[in-house]
Amino acid sequence: LSVSPSLCFLLAVKSSDSSTPVIQLRLAGEKRKHYEGRVEVYYNGEWGTVCDDDFSIYAAQVVCRQLGYLDAVSWHPSSKYGRGEGRIWLDNVHCSGRESSLAQCESNGFGVSDCKHTEDVGVVCSQKRIPGFRFINTLANSVETANVQVEDIRIRATYSHRKRIPITEGFVEVKDGGKWRQICNEGWTEMNTRVVCGMYGFPGEKGYNTRAYKLLAKRRRKNYWGHSVNCTGNEAELSDCKLGREVELKGNRTCEQGMPVVISCIPGRAFAPSVSAGFRKAYRVEQPLVRLRGGAMIGEGRVEVLKNGEWGTVCDDNWNIRAATVVCRELGFGSAKEALTGGQLGQGIGPVHMNEVECSGFEKSLTECFFNRDVLGCSHEEDAAVRCNVPAMGFHTRLRLSGGRNPYEGRVEVLGERNGSLVWGTVCSDSWGTMEAMVVCRQLGLGFASNAFQETWYWQGDSSADAVVMSGVRCSGTELTLDQCLHHGKHIHCPRGGGRFAAGVSCTETAPDLVLNAQVVEQTTYLEDRPMYALQCAQEENCLSSSAKGADTNSYRRLLRFSSQIHNNGRSDFRPRAGHQSWIWHECHRHFHSMEVFTHYDLLSLNGTKVAEGHKASFCLEDTYCDEGIQKTYVCANFGSQGITVGCWDTYRHDIDCQWIDVTDVKPGDYIFQVVINPNYEVAESDYTNNIMKCRCRYDGNRIWTYNCHIGKTVPNQYGS
């Protein structure tokens, strides 16, 4: 049986019953996490698989516990993790669930099977390890490629470094058999350090003061682990590394020529300790070539690459943990926890720039990896994404939600300073909105904001935390913590007071993401001269510029008309925040508007000042068309529910009222035509950067040309911005 580098070897403990064959288990296969995979058995000097006939959750429990996991979550038949090779050692396995080894379960006997490898069984174990589970290599002479398998790993900082956040330097310790143990540094390599730093959310490693740690180690009582470690540097965590040679444990004389392993990691720019100016100097701020979009948590998102001035996505063909780790380290995070496929963190827009990406794992940027420029057959349904390891910053300890019906909602309470001591208190809800709520949900690791509340009287918070300790909060939405947002500092100003007016939030794991189709706008733009007598409804809804007031009914208005097609590319439906009861009936158009302001339409000069009085358009939201296989949910007619379903789009045709900008008073010249969706952030979205569309316009007094329409906040320089 060939050994793939992605295999996870987990060693079984030898059975006390001498008549039971000694076997060893491992989980193997592609596209899996370390606690799941195809079940493989080492018996009689050879690796083989287990057939899925008669396999049960009880057998899965025996496998998982034998591998040191607390329990089994599920099992999978029909070679879900790929077909194995070699012998099929076990078939028709019957376990009660109480056996200590799979070899103790009833079966046809070793090697007796009528199965094929298409029937190889797989299991999913719980992620929790059995406390005190002791790593014992029962087949050390037979198998030299076993993986590190311990209960836990930590970086133990020295006393002087313990208060630093994040902890970047210290002794590496592993928990095995319920006790923390040091690793002898004889044979320890930079590659091992790279893996541990990556696990803890750090992109790189550096040297440290060896002399100081040697002196410290001499004074400390040591309890060494009995193995060395051998990493290639590409592993996502230490448990993916191979075991090195055994370390002879000789009490105080263990590791005589060395000392306990110490590592020192370099944090990414966003996590560098603010006290050290040296960290700031170490990073040159450059135009990034790679970014993450659509993720709820810090260090996760859809991967997007900049090419020829245009952002595009990466196709998930061959997407793996190595490529994901290159992205994570490039962006200042650690190694990748997951390489996600199938547009799991939302679908992007624009071109697909890369396909079949292959990385060695040591590239400085994803753009240095080999890839196929041919993206035929790739769609945004195959957009690749990542989840990265990030440093433990303790963000969630400085903020809490109180009084909610579930952990995802409640009054926001922060740890603030009052009279020289830290106390819990509330946040003033003046100016509190979706952007501020987004930062709270991200800080707590609860995903996106679904609502921001300016009254929270219905949530009974902690009465000792009623006092307002934070006011004037204004966030851009990109901050990692609420205290990074603009706020009043020590000088609290909250006219309404806290209490019932304290700020609150509700969070959700998924969010919608609206994107305007720029191509449709560019293709449908034209001018129409329309008489005032045909614009009475539009006048009532303030869709014309102020000069139209009192204008003769036979006079004409010049309108810049266009169609807009708004897609929901997110992972949940876009729903108006207001309930049915507060929707506004528009008699002229005979339907309800569920959002007071859904879009802004503006014509700007090249320096960004408004030249036409744009208007705030509010419409009825519904599913006009949907992708194949998706059912329409929302319809405006008959007071129906409003919204835009994931995978659907709402189309406003160029010939409907208010689908225009009144350019009657605009002089000939070059302009920027701008559309902004959900401009007041009334509804939370996973990505607001794609809510703006800009086009270049040339108007000669009679005709208009619209070109270079694109999504994003800036107009490229070559277009005159």
Side-chain angles (χ1 to χ4, degrees), residues 1 12 49 53 74 122 271 280 285 339 348 350 428 434 461 466 544 549-550 605 638 642 676 708 711:
L1 182 72
T49 62
D53 291 351
S74 61
F271 306 101
R280 293 285 178 252
V285 181
C428 184
T434 303
D466 280 347
L544 302 173
K549 289 175 184 173
S605 68
N638 303 319
Q642 293 192 23
V676 186
N708 290 338
I711 301 297

Side-chain angles (χ1 to χ4, degrees), residues 376-406:
L376 277 175
C378 283
S379 70
H380 287 301
E381 291 176 1
E382 299 168 85
D383 284 345
V386 297
R387 284 199 176 101
C388 306
N389 285 312
V390 297
M393 302 295 290
F395 290 153
H396 61 283
T397 62
R398 291 180 262 166
L399 189 74
R400 68 187 185 192
L401 301 184
S402 184
R405 296 162 297 178
N406 59 59

Side-chain angles (χ1 to χ4, degrees), residues 484-497:
Q484 288 177 1
C485 300
L486 290 171
H487 58 94
H488 289 154
K490 293 179 181 177
H491 306 287
I492 306 298
H493 177 68
C494 190
R496 293 198 300 174

Side-chain angles (χ1 to χ4, degrees), residues 376-488:
L376 277 175
C378 283
S379 70
H380 287 301
E381 291 176 1
E382 299 168 85
D383 284 345
V386 297
R387 284 199 176 101
C388 306
N389 285 312
V390 297
M393 302 295 290
F395 290 153
H396 61 283
T397 62
R398 291 180 262 166
L399 189 74
R400 68 187 185 192
L401 301 184
S402 184
R405 296 162 297 178
N406 59 59
Y408 285 82
E409 67 176 22
R411 183 175 82 172
V412 178
E413 294 178 0
V414 296
L415 205 53
E417 196 175 318
R418 265 192 115 186
N419 303 326
S421 60
L422 285 174
V423 295
W424 286 101
T426 57
V427 179
C428 184
S429 65
D430 289 355
S431 76
W432 186 258
T434 303
M435 283 302 190
E436 291 70 38
M438 280 286 207
V439 174
V440 167
C441 294
R442 185 186 302 121
Q443 184 175 345
L444 290 170
L446 297 177
F448 302 103
S450 54
N451 279 295
F453 300 97
Q454 294 192 341
E455 287 191 40
T456 51
W457 52 268
Y458 37 82
W459 285 330
Q460 193 61 50
D462 186 339
S463 58
S464 66
D466 280 347
V468 175
V469 295
M470 196 175 194
S471 64
V473 182
R474 289 284 176 94
C475 304
S476 68
T478 59
E479 296 87 353
L480 302 183
T481 64
L482 200 63
D483 55 15
Q484 288 177 1
C485 300
L486 290 171
H487 58 94
H488 289 154

Side-chain angles (χ1 to χ4, degrees), residues 292-414:
L292 300 183
R293 284 289 181 268
M297 312 298 181
I298 301 161
E300 71 171 30
R302 178 179 60 253
V303 180
E304 296 189 352
V305 181
L306 186 64
K307 181 183 173 186
N308 298 330
E310 187 174 15
W311 288 99
T313 60
V314 177
C315 190
D316 64 10
D317 293 353
N318 299 345
W319 186 248
N320 61 23
I321 204 80
R322 281 193 185 191
T325 289
V326 170
V327 169
C328 291
R329 289 185 187 272
E330 178 180 1
L331 295 174
F333 305 112
S335 51
K337 282 193 287 194
E338 285 183 89
L340 300 166
T341 57
Q344 286 183 58
L345 294 185
Q347 296 180 25
I349 55 171
V352 178
H353 282 326
M354 300 173 85
N355 184 24
E356 296 175 350
V357 178
E358 284 186 34
C359 304
S360 70
F362 294 94
E363 293 86 353
K364 295 290 183 193
S365 170
L366 187 70
T367 56
E368 295 174 13
C369 298
F370 291 107
F371 66 94
N372 190 347
R373 286 180 170 81
D374 180 5
V375 295
L376 277 175
C378 283
S379 70
H380 287 301
E381 291 176 1
E382 299 168 85
D383 284 345
V386 297
R387 284 199 176 101
C388 306
N389 285 312
V390 297
M393 302 295 290
F395 290 153
H396 61 283
T397 62
R398 291 180 262 166
L399 189 74
R400 68 187 185 192
L401 301 184
S402 184
R405 296 162 297 178
N406 59 59
Y408 285 82
E409 67 176 22
R411 183 175 82 172
V412 178
E413 294 178 0
V414 296

